[in-house]
Amino acid sequence: MTEFTPWLSLLGGCLIGVSTVLLMAFHGRIAGMTGIVSGLLPPISNDWAWRAAFLIGAIASPALIFVTTGYTVPFESPTPTTWLVVGGLIVGVGVHFGSGCTSGHGVCGMARLSRRSIVATLVFMGTTAATVFVVRHVLGGF
Amino acid sequence: MNRVVSALVIGLLFGVGIALSGMANPAKVLNFFDFAGTWDPSLAFVMGGALLVTTIGYAFVLKRPAPIFDDQFHLPRKRDLDLPLIAGSAVFGIGWGISGYCPGGAIPALGLGKADAWLFVGSMIAGIALARFAQQTFAARTVPQTS
């Protein structure tokens, strides 16, 4: 069980939105984590600096929250190690061919009413829900 | 320099949003999708908040001739619904459903210093590299030879 946190989640979502709008306003870029990370893999794109800075900022965020407010970001990873590696590989392959993930398609693309992003989001939300159902209620797993 | 500092601050803001929202917590993400079990609808509020702010914000920003640090907006040009988009997205969802991590949630989770998050991100990057390599190899083979 995890606690239902509508206000905190809404606040977090709005901050994601503000960050997404600022990245477009200042850098002209889609705040899609897949694209940002991919540009740092060889052959490294020549605009690597802003990508690296964005990632460093994102990684530093839980520490900033803890130092300023004393709030420890909740984290629980129920998937066993082997399946975590399998899941990671599958996510990597999927987001590469699908040209994006929850941030790129689900937020940036949907906000622009991109047909590709709307379809991509519906498809991955559907297969995620189906996978969770199979893992938890058919296979009796994590 | 301004560019890098601005990207750092925007990345920090993105991470704070992800971390507070619960997207960096795989158990919460999995529960959002578990309608038949321990359903936690919180993440609908993340998507709602993010979409509301981005839709309004983009409408203003994209009317401007160019962003502040660049001479153009870099927007995806593809329009067609092709097989890689649909199959790739379907595959991504399977991995998300197994692990509970999406790329945007996993990167800020690295900052929590938990081995599981690092293991996931390492595997995900290997998956992206593998897919890219496969695509390039396949493309090199199917490009018609012109002489």
Side-chain angles (χ1 to χ4, degrees):
Chain A
M1 285 294 284
T2 48
E3 197 192 337
F4 177 48
T5 55
W7 294 110
L8 203 54
S9 290
L10 185 66
L11 171 68
C14 290
L15 291 178
I16 295 167
V18 171
S19 160
T20 300
V21 172
L22 290 177
L23 194 67
M24 187 60 78
F26 281 84
H27 299 264
R29 293 288 177 166
I30 295 281
M33 202 49 100
T34 299
I36 294 174
V37 169
S38 295
L40 287 172
L41 301 179
I44 298 172
S45 60
N46 50 16
D47 62 345
W48 61 272
W50 75 265
R51 297 168 186 272
F54 183 93
L55 291 191
I56 291 167
I59 295 169
S61 61
L64 177 81
I65 294 172
F66 182 74
V67 169
T68 53
T69 66
Y71 176 76
T72 308
V73 175
F75 178 85
E76 191 195 336
S77 184
T79 304
T81 304
T82 311
W83 283 104
L84 197 59
V85 172
V86 172
L89 285 168
I90 294 176
V91 167
V93 170
V95 295
H96 175 76
F97 286 108
S99 311
C101 54
T102 327
S103 46
H105 283 312
V107 178
C108 303
M110 296 256 284
R112 295 190 303 121
L113 294 176
S114 149
R115 198 164 64 116
R116 277 171 61 85
S117 290
I118 293 168
V119 169
T121 306
L122 290 174
V123 168
F124 67 64
M125 294 295 255
T127 55
T128 306
T131 305
V132 170
F133 182 81
V134 170
V135 169
R136 288 195 168 176
H137 303 289
V138 178
L139 304 173
F142 36 95
Chain B
M1 195 60 208
N2 284 345
R3 258 179 214 232
V4 173
V5 172
S6 128
L8 185 81
V9 173
I10 296 170
L12 201 57
L13 196 60
F14 183 88
V16 169
I18 291 282
L20 292 182
S21 71
M23 289 296 293
N25 185 357
K28 197 169 180 73
V29 172
L30 292 175
N31 282 341
F32 173 69
F33 288 103
D34 190 6
F35 311 110
T38 52
W39 190 46
D40 175 353
S42 305
L43 298 193
F45 291 78
V46 185
M47 198 71 153
L51 270 178
L52 183 74
V53 173
T54 306
T55 304
I56 297 170
Y58 269 12
F60 284 99
V61 168
L62 293 174
K63 266 189 213 148
R64 300 171 59 91
I68 290 164
F69 293 137
D70 206 327
D71 50 15
Q72 57 169 322
F73 293 108
H74 300 265
L75 298 172
R77 282 183 292 270
K78 273 193 190 172
R79 290 275 175 271
D80 49 326
L81 302 173
D82 50 19
L83 181 65
L85 176 82
I86 292 165
S89 298
V91 167
F92 160 46
I94 296 171
W96 196 15
I98 291 173
S99 64
Y101 299 78
C102 63
I107 297 290
L110 291 177
L112 292 164
K114 301 285 170 63
D116 275 355
W118 285 88
L119 191 64
F120 173 84
V121 171
S123 311
M124 178 186 90
I125 288 173
I128 295 175
L130 208 69
R132 197 188 261 192
F133 177 75
Q135 196 175 34
Q136 280 163 358
T137 311
F138 184 72
R141 275 195 200 144
T142 49
V143 165
Q145 298 292 320
T146 49
S147 54

